[in-house]
Amino acid sequence: MIFTRRDFIKQLGFVSIGFSLLGTACMSNETGENVAESDESNRPEDINAWLRVMEDGSILILTGKMELGQGIRIAVAQVAAEELNTSPDLVEVNLAETGVTANEGYTAGSRSIETSAMSIRNAAAAAREKLLNLASEKWGVPQSELTLENGTISGGNEKMSLYEVLEGRQLREEIGQPSEIYGKTRRKYVGQPVPRKDISQMVRGNLDYVQDLDFPGMVHARVIRPSGYTSKLGSLDDSSLEGFPGFLKLVRIGSFVGVIAEEEYQAIKLSWEVNDLAQWELGDELPAGVPLKEHLKTLDAEVETEEEKGDWESAIKEAPIQHKAAYYKPYLMHAANGPSCAVAYFEDEKLQVWSHTQGVYPLRETLANLLEIPEASIHVKGVPGSGCYGHNGADDVAAEAALLAVEFPGRHVRLQWMRDEEHRWEPYGTAMIMELEAGLNSDGKIQGWKYDFWSDGHSTRPNGEPKTLLPARFLDRDHGVPGVGFKGGAVRNSKPYYAIDALQTTSHIFQGPLRKSALRALGAFGNIFAIECFMDELAHKAGKDPVEFRLDHLDDERAVACLDRIKKMTSEVKKGNGEGLGYAFAHYKNSASYFAVAAHVQLNDKGIVKVKKMWGVIDSGETINPDGLKNQTEGGMIQAASWALREEVQFDKEHVTSRDWHTYPIFRFEEIPEVEVEVIDRVEEKPLGAGEAAQGPSAAAVVNAVFDATGERIRDLPVNPVEKYLR
């Protein structure tokens, strides 16, 4: 099959935005009226599923992962450029898109480099070897005398572009096992801080996100929200809307209500009008009359022993030093700076959706079941959005836009949530309770350990079931609610990575009162926060330095190296009055990145904690882009510090009351600490997931630093609740 750049663009059949193949000029003159036929015959074991050689000499990389700000686009470009000995400037990356890229599920769990980038690495290395073999056969020149560089093969008296060598075809052979990985042996681009092309565009505000999409004739929509999760629409007299400026249609499907208008502000004003006209039945009350920490303990829970070894009970009871502590984290928001947004277009029984979802294929499957449309008739294009890591409102707004587009075919329907909607209706990171007990021997070593934690499930992402999407619960057909969801997220990092001979870890999985799903690090945030604070308390009980105490319980040289380095980085820190220094460590998932962290905090005269500086040491195995790895780690440290000090979802009996940046405060620019991160690059090792490694340890380091400053143990988050700022 001859496959040109032009063919690829024609196959897409819809608008591509500024950072994709076609450029921003196409935004205003491509209507996107024809859905591309899905080309899902490409098997993931074939080179063609990951890599295409284009007519102009560029290399097109296809990744099923989404760019969420983690820098996956430049990382996979570096990996491919290395194996093909081609400048990253000649490598283009097409992000997740049904029928075009491989189905890689979700961009989640710090797996993008471990999975997608390594698949692309192998495909590019295999492509290099097959291209050199083709040229050798074509010219009768030994492969040892051929050179591949910047999209061209030369040798003897011959020189051809890769496209010419292939005669316009693509490599459909299986990847197999390449004989050499340049990323391990040459490292011309891999391991280098190759700049991201999108950063300067972000700074200038000219990068196109899903929120910026524009189509000829596009209309705007808003959804009218009830007061609570189980509210039902009683009555709605819409007779007065006909003469409203810009009004096109009111959509009512059961208790799901939306308005469509010519202009966005018209849609907003219409939503206000309809909200005044609608009469709602309130539904079930939320448990606002009792502290949430107390309420969670009253819920029915599925109890299961997750880890057990040795006679932990006797080891604790017989220990000369015994200690107990309980910790708590509240519900946390994704708190995306840009409210969720999507565009949908429906015509001739085919649906197109542009979304910042983290899983284009799972979303397509779930939309198909929600709308009762064949999957083959739905095309989902991943477009980066202003958001954050985890399952926020992106899938929900895509489903709502799709529902409205089906009711208003032939024109692109754009739906963007308002700030109030984003805060009150997104799925949160669940609240957790963590209780620990341990016994120390006379040498200050842990001889027995008991850990119990209470948690909801940590992911209810779209999985084919409509009930995972917010609008499904308000339609006339009762789809139900997701339930607990992914229990494994709660268990993550619940087993301590330290060498302890006798221990038990027990999970208590409940279904809580608020909507929840995956938030960065899932249960690892709460588990590591509690374990690392408890390790600090045990070190104090043993009369030992907190870093040395951890080192005494580690037998992994990579973990030891991280802690040794963090200790050196902070050896010259001087603490003033009301200041403290705290440490923490974790091996994310006990299988991904190693991370050690220190935090320097200061208390003001109102008792409000401020983080002055944080230090981090991360070992993610082989480093693809050290700047990208540092950026991920710095961002995780700052976000975790904000979670620890400021953030908490609050609610009354009807619904969530944290509806803006005053009632749900996050770090402001002036609160962001200085951050210093060092990377341990282990070329001989495989790359490890890093995007979530900093969350739990960073929060623990901050809280441990508060103890160092005050002598007071804070075990419930946030350290600085909203009330402190309102004094």
Side-chain angles (χ1 to χ4, degrees), residues 601-620:
V601 306
Q602 180 182 48
L603 276 73
N604 67 15
D605 55 4
K606 294 183 179 180
I608 294 177
V609 177
K610 176 178 175 61
V611 185
K612 294 183 65 177
K613 184 170 181 176
M614 301 181 78
W615 299 261
V617 176
I618 190 159
D619 172 358
S620 297

Side-chain angles (χ1 to χ4, degrees), residues 504-533:
Q504 185 191 70
T505 298
T506 303
S507 63
H508 305 255
I509 307 300
F510 58 76
Q511 184 169 354
L514 301 186
R515 187 179 183 224
K516 87 294 172 186
S517 193
L519 178 61
R520 194 175 190 180
L522 284 73
F525 173 71
N527 290 325
I528 294 171
F529 160 69
I531 289 170
E532 285 301 297
C533 285

Side-chain angles (χ1 to χ4, degrees), residues 309 445 496-501 549-561 563 585 587 594:
K309 65 176 180 177
K445 294 289 289 289
Y497 195 64
Y498 300 101
I500 303 172
D501 293 331
F549 183 76
R550 288 171 171 82
L551 291 171
D552 287 345
H553 291 86
L554 286 168
D555 51 17
D556 185 329
E557 292 182 358
R558 294 172 71 175
V560 169
L563 279 165
F585 163 80
H587 184 20
Y594 298 80

Side-chain angles (χ1 to χ4, degrees), residues 49-50 61-67 72-73 76 93-97 100-102 104 107 112 116-117 120 360:
W50 305 97
I61 297 301
L62 306 172
T63 175
K65 300 296 185 179
M66 271 290 287
E67 177 60 72
I72 185 63
R73 189 188 295 274
V76 299
V93 179
N94 195 83
L95 298 173
E97 180 176 354
V100 177
T101 63
E104 296 192 72
T107 306
S112 295
S116 190
I120 289 164
V360 291

